[in-house]
Amino acid sequence: MKILVIGSGGREHALAWKLAQSPKVQKVFVAPGNGGTATATAKNMGIENLNITDLNALAAFAKDEQIHLTVVGPEAPLAGGIVDIFRGQSLRIFGPTQKAAQLESSKDFAKAFMKRHQIPTAEYQTFSNIQEAHAYIDAKGAPIVIKADGLAAGKGVVVAMSLEEAHGAIDMMLSDNKLGDAGARVVIEEFLQGEEASFIVMVDGKNVLTLATSQDHKRLLDADQGPNTGGMGAYSPAPVVTPEIHARALREIIMPTVKGMAADGIPFTGFLYAGLMIDGKGQVKTLEFNCRMGDPETQPIMARLKSDFLIALDAAVDGKLDQVELDWDARIALGVVMAAYNYPETPRKGDVITGIPADDIDHVTFHAGTTMDNGVLKTSGGRVLCVVGLDHTTKGAQQKAYAHLDHIQFDGAQFRRDIGYRAL
Ligand code: ATP
């Protein structure tokens, strides 16, 4: 069977790497892929001339190549309706329809949905009128959180610790239009305190299959300092998600979401990612929904998955997720992201990468912003690699990841030294 993975990051490399291990899979195409998807295994290949914004071209490719199943990594093609286009041509694809993807593509949709279905989340109001937004902030005070309604590639959320910062964020979005249409409406919400975790499940419209829990590290620098990034590292499982919290997240957030979407006539299929905020009293609130897997969470999660992932994806597409159980490596997987010079501002491209050690049972290196340039591996994006270590302790997984990472070199490489610190 041939599989198509859409995207070019570490998440997509990890999905392709895992799927290539299935005895039923002959070939995994990754569109457009990266320097690692071309070389990882003989089954794995990047198709760099496929443009992922051309959804019809992707469907034509899937048809021509007789792709058995397509998995979508990033949110943009989902929000653009790739699942509707593929299904319209009877092509098998795992992901939400454009309407269901609104859980991620419109914060206002997600908040109104949660309110309607009594799913715990921060209190909020939505504004497109700038005076009303400023007045609401004055009435509520700081700290307060301002979110662009639409997709803004991680730049649409301002956690304002002062009123000044909050008013500035409103001006940036509603008056200066810095985020374009995505910021033409803003959600202003209550500031929540606690520890974050990523709770990702597979949904077939009705049934839910939970994946292993994980925790991301969003800030660029050690001790959660510096600017926000796409994620500088992640590990799985996340000990903050105790069995009680796990049960609570399923009962109070995931199941009501799946039931609520079905009841609203927009059944959800695909990966459903709930960003959780867990407070000191064990209360769990939803920070956000994503309708795809997280990056870098996917890398340690896939490194721990022992089952054949194709079986789960097939069951999901066929509405039979209730018949699947997943088997996980008992070890902890910890992934450290190496980013390019000047990430996240304007990352430099073209630095030569050397020294990536071969994968073994305790380590895997997933590529993200890499490209093969005439046989030379070079940086081509912000987050370049994610090095995953596996061990029975967090400390051991951390040591293994860094021991491996220390062999890898490219000019200007940036990475955190403390990934996993919350679990230590
Ligand atoms: P992502 O890149 O994860 O998709 P996003 O742009 O969709 O992010 P959110 O995940 O909603 O944005 O918010 C980004 C970060 O801002 C969260 O991970 C969290 O740290 C912080 N945050 C969001 N909402 C709140 C809140 N209500 N209270 C406190 N912090 C918050």
Side-chain angles (χ1 to χ4, degrees):
M1 283 173 180
K2 295 182 197 170
I3 307 293
L4 173 61
V5 174
I6 305 217
S8 60
R11 167 181 52 207
E12 289 76 20
H13 188 185
L15 292 169
W17 170 86
K18 185 64 210 170
L19 282 163
Q21 293 169 14
S22 169
K24 292 199 271 183
V25 171
Q26 272 171 285
K27 189 162 270 185
V28 185
F29 293 101
V30 189
N34 57 42
T37 54
T39 50
T41 73
K43 283 185 187 177
N44 215 330
M45 58 190 301
I47 306 293
E48 296 195 18
N49 57 354
L50 270 180
N51 177 349
I52 67 162
T53 59
D54 189 346
L55 305 181
N56 290 307
L58 292 171
F61 177 84
K63 204 163 233 171
D64 287 350
E65 285 290 342
Q66 297 183 304
I67 297 291
H68 168 69
L69 189 141
T70 299
V71 190
V72 189
E75 60 274 23
L78 295 167
I82 190 170
V83 170
D84 309 74
I85 290 171
F86 272 56
R87 284 190 189 157
Q89 300 181 35
S90 303
L91 295 164
R92 288 166 69 78
I93 185 164
F94 185 57
T97 60
Q98 185 170 37
K99 273 193 175 163
Q102 287 178 97
L103 273 185
E104 174 168 6
S105 65
S106 167
K107 303 236 187 243
D108 177 52
F109 175 92
K111 295 296 285 190
F113 172 84
M114 286 190 268
K115 198 169 177 181
R116 196 160 62 243
H117 295 282
Q118 285 105 45
I119 295 163
T121 188
E123 270 190 55
Y124 83 106
Q125 265 194 45
T126 303
F127 297 91
S128 44
N129 179 295
I130 185 162
Q131 279 84 26
E132 285 169 20
H134 282 304
Y136 183 77
I137 283 171
D138 282 331
K140 289 286 171 184
I144 194 159
V145 182
I146 292 102
K147 300 184 174 185
D149 173 50
L151 293 179
K155 297 199 168 67
V157 174
V158 177
V159 179
M161 298 316 284
S162 68
L163 276 179
E164 196 186 354
E165 219 184 322
H167 288 299
I170 293 296
D171 286 337
M172 183 267 283
M173 292 181 202
L174 289 180
S175 152
D176 305 341
N177 295 324
K178 284 268 163 60
L179 302 176
D181 282 351
R185 270 197 306 176
V186 296
V187 165
I188 305 183
E189 72 176 30
E190 169 200 3
F191 173 79
L192 299 176
Q193 259 168 319
E195 188 168 340
E196 290 180 46
S198 307
F199 199 89
I200 309 176
V201 302
M202 295 170 74
V203 187
D204 65 9
K206 193 171 76 213
N207 305 296
V208 166
L209 181 65
T210 52
L211 300 182
T213 59
S214 55
Q215 201 167 39
D216 185 11
H217 299 63
K218 286 206 181 278
R219 301 294 195 101
L220 181 70
L221 306 173
D222 284 10
D224 294 326
Q225 301 297 307
N228 259 321
T229 70
M232 294 301 289
Y235 60 98
S236 169
V240 64
V241 185
T242 59
E244 293 72 36
I245 300 284
H246 195 277
R248 202 159 177 174
L250 262 180
R251 191 176 64 237
E252 296 178 5
I253 298 172
I254 300 293
M255 293 319 295
T257 300
V258 173
K259 285 196 181 123
M261 290 294 280
D264 290 353
I266 324 170
F268 189 93
T269 50
F271 296 106
L272 179 63
Y273 169 137
L276 307 181
M277 185 69 98
I278 303 157
D279 75 10
K281 297 189 210 113
Q283 306 259 30
V284 190
K285 286 191 176 165
T286 320
L287 275 182
E288 63 159 341
F289 284 122
N290 293 319
C291 58
R292 35 114 190 141
M293 289 205 63
D295 187 339
E297 293 96 321
T298 306
Q299 291 86 315
I301 290 175
M302 286 296 127
R304 288 186 61 218
L305 181 59
K306 286 165 84 175
S307 313
D308 184 338
F309 197 38
L310 181 62
I311 292 175
L313 285 167
D314 263 332
V317 171
D318 295 334
K320 293 179 180 161
L321 270 181
D322 53 331
Q323 296 174 18
V324 181
E325 265 181 50
L326 296 176
D327 192 14
W328 298 96
D329 193 324
R331 292 177 299 169
I332 291 139
L334 185 144
V336 182
V337 169
M338 296 182 83
Y341 175 77
N342 214 28
Y343 175 75
E345 290 285 291
T346 36
R348 186 171 68 199
K349 297 180 182 176
D351 288 307
V352 175
I353 306 165
T354 57
I356 300 180
D359 295 342
D360 58 35
I361 54 163
D362 295 333
H363 309 91
V364 203
T365 302
F366 294 114
H367 291 234
T370 71
T371 187
M372 270 296 185
D373 181 6
N374 286 320
V376 180
L377 188 70
K378 292 184 178 170
T379 63
S380 65
R383 291 184 294 164
V384 176
L385 297 164
C386 178
V387 185
V388 178
L390 290 131
D391 192 81
H392 288 286
T393 64
T394 308
K395 189 85 210 150
Q398 194 187 50
Q399 279 167 351
K400 283 182 174 157
Y402 285 108
H404 227 52
L405 181 148
D406 285 333
H407 291 282
I408 303 174
Q409 288 182 337
F410 58 89
D411 278 349
Q414 307 184 70
F415 55 88
R416 281 176 61 160
R417 272 279 166 202
D418 67 344
I419 300 302
Y421 77 90
R422 283 198 205 83
L424 285 172

